[in-house]
């Protein structure tokens, strides 16, 4: 076939080596970036998981304080009563642990302190290691509520002495 001229342009060895060097640098940068991205993603997932655990522990502790018949200072922390059954909240190595018989559950980690406060005492305080304090209202036992209600009613009357 006369008239058709096929020409192929070739590259020199130097051009091929330069192209391979540039491709290697780009590949290395992309892989290093993916490694950093994977580490960042793992840290974010860990932080989300920890925050979820802390949030769950907060709501479980709130439910515990709200549903208890009474909460008093106990031998090992705070005694929580449900009917005639006694449970306990205790601080063990910066973890807030709930115990009921043989059952044990860690409610929160990173806890610095646990105490009852207030006049009756009427507030359960949980101090966190970050410097925050969680406060939960404590219902008085039914007999104590009844006695206080009677005192308030009697104060309303003007008795002569």
């Amino acid at each position: 076939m006369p008239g058709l001229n096929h020409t192929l342009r070739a590259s020199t060895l130097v051009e091929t080596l330069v192209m391979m060097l540039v491709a290697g640098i780009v590949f290395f940068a992309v892989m290093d970036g993916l490694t950093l991205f994977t580490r960042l993603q793992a840290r974010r997932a860990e932080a989300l998981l920890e925050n979820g655990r802390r949030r769950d522990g907060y709501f479980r502790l709130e439910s515990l304080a709200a549903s208890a018949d009474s909460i008093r200072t106990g031998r090992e922390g705070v005694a929580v009563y449900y009917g005639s059954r006694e449970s306990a909240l205790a601080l063990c190595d910066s973890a807030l642990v709930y115990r009921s018989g043989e059952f044990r559950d860690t409610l929160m980690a990173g806890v610095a302190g646990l105490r009852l406060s207030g006049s009756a005492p009427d507030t359960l305080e949980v101090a966190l290691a970050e410097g925050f304090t969680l406060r939960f209202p404590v219902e008085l036992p039914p007999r104590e509520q009844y006695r206080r209600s009677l005192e308030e009613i009697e104060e309303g009357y003007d008795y002569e002495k």
Side-chain angles (χ1 to χ4, degrees), residues 54 108-113 126-134:
R54 181 160 294 213
M108 299 179 103
V111 176
V126 178
L128 300 178
E130 292 89 18
F132 300 105
T133 301
L134 304 174

Side-chain angles (χ1 to χ4, degrees), residues 10-147:
S11 59
T12 64
L13 184 59
V14 174
E15 290 173 338
T16 304
L17 288 176
V18 168
M19 188 271 311
M20 288 176 66
L21 182 65
V22 169
I25 291 172
V26 169
F27 181 75
F28 177 73
V30 168
M31 285 298 143
D32 200 33
L34 284 176
T35 302
L36 289 175
F37 177 73
T38 304
R39 286 182 190 167
L40 177 65
Q41 190 177 13
R43 284 187 196 147
R44 286 293 207 187
E46 187 177 315
L48 287 172
L49 182 63
E50 182 60 33
N51 287 337
R53 285 185 188 143
R54 181 160 294 213
R55 182 185 58 99
D56 289 345
Y58 172 83
F59 285 121
R60 289 170 55 203
L61 187 58
E62 180 183 40
S63 174
L64 176 80
S67 62
D69 292 336
S70 67
I71 298 179
R72 298 184 181 168
T73 303
R75 295 177 300 240
E76 300 176 16
V78 175
V80 181
Y81 296 94
Y82 297 101
S84 61
R85 191 180 71 192
E86 179 181 348
S87 302
L89 282 173
L91 190 60
C92 300
D93 295 331
S94 77
L96 185 61
V97 177
Y98 172 75
R99 288 191 325 248
S100 180
E102 295 296 316
F103 177 75
R104 286 176 170 48
D105 189 15
T106 302
L107 295 178
M108 299 179 103
V111 176
L114 171 70
R115 71 182 187 110
L116 288 172
S117 66
S119 59
D122 58 0
T123 305
L124 175 64
E125 292 186 354
V126 178
L128 300 178
E130 292 89 18
F132 300 105
T133 301
L134 304 174
R135 292 181 176 87
F136 300 96
V138 174
E139 292 292 325
L140 294 173
R143 288 183 184 168
E144 187 68 25
Q145 286 180 350
Y146 179 72
R147 185 181 63 76

